[in-house]
Amino acid sequence: ESVTASYEAEGTYNVTVKAKNASGEAERTYEGCIQVTSQLAPGAELTLLSGQKAAEASAYVNENEAPQFAVDGDVTKKWCATGTPPHELTIDLGEIHTVSQVAISHAEAGGEGADMNTKAYTISVSEDGSEYKEVTNVTRNTSGTTLDTFAPVSARYVKLSVVKPTQGSDTAARIYEVEVYGI
């Protein structure tokens, strides 16, 4: 079943979903799920904000697998970190933007085996680079590419924390691209 909603004023709106079946009913409210803005024309796409921006990581294997390869637009090059997770990659967008979506190319997207895809990760955002707010928490990923959409938030810094780097016991993070989208 689909639902249509109209909003007369710009702003951020919550969405409440009610479900009912023979087993009972449940209700859940998603905070800040819809943002109405004149900054984005009707039908317009979100803008890639992270391309060629500065990136830092908690670790990386060598200069051929350094953090900048996660934002270079080339899925044949990767950021790779080894050691004890979590492995963190922080992207500086250069200025504060409204951010609402992050696409990630994991190991399989770069030509490696699906067993090397990131299993668990979080995405956090910050305006100042010191206080971060988690906007996405994924615990059971198996895909080579992921697209996480969240309530629009103001951010200059976007941090990917690779909590469980692979599907098995390998502790190496393999991230071929991180694309941050917003207005």
Side-chain angles (χ1 to χ4, degrees):
E1 191 174 322
S2 66
V3 176
T4 302
S6 297
Y7 301 89
E8 295 196 17
E10 288 190 55
T12 302
Y13 297 89
N14 298 337
V15 173
T16 300
V17 178
K18 295 179 183 180
K20 183 178 181 181
N21 64 19
S23 299
E25 57 186 84
E27 180 176 305
R28 182 170 177 188
T29 298
Y30 297 89
E31 300 288 328
C33 191
I34 295 176
Q35 182 169 9
V36 177
T37 179
S38 60
Q39 295 177 350
L40 192 61
E45 297 289 324
L46 294 175
T47 302
L48 174 64
L49 303 170
S50 57
Q52 303 297 330
K53 297 297 184 185
E56 295 181 354
S58 55
Y60 58 97
V61 175
N62 58 50
E63 291 303 320
N64 294 324
E65 297 179 336
Q68 71 264 21
F69 293 120
V71 292
D72 67 352
D74 183 350
V75 291
T76 66
K77 298 177 186 172
K78 68 181 171 184
W79 162 60
C80 184
T82 58
T84 304
H87 304 297
E88 295 183 338
L89 175 76
T90 304
I91 302 165
D92 181 352
L93 301 176
E95 62 184 302
I96 294 174
H97 292 277
T98 300
V99 174
S100 62
Q101 197 172 71
V102 175
I104 304 171
S105 295
H106 303 275
E108 189 178 13
E112 297 188 58
D115 59 328
M116 297 298 163
N117 287 335
T118 311
K119 175 85 172 189
Y121 62 91
T122 63
I123 299 169
S124 302
V125 296
S126 173
E127 289 187 3
D128 62 9
S130 60
E131 288 191 41
Y132 282 84
K133 173 188 175 188
E134 186 177 290
V135 293
T136 299
N137 185 333
V138 175
T139 58
R140 295 188 303 197
N141 176 58
T142 58
S143 299
T145 57
T146 54
L147 181 63
D148 295 296
T149 303
F150 44 88
V153 60
S154 294
R156 174 176 172 170
Y157 302 92
V158 178
K159 182 188 295 183
L160 168 65
S161 296
V162 177
V163 178
K164 183 158 182 7
T166 63
Q167 303 299 303
S169 60
D170 188 327
T171 61
R174 296 165 177 88
I175 303 295
Y176 281 82
E177 201 67 27
V178 177
E179 297 172 317
V180 178
Y181 291 93
I183 317 175

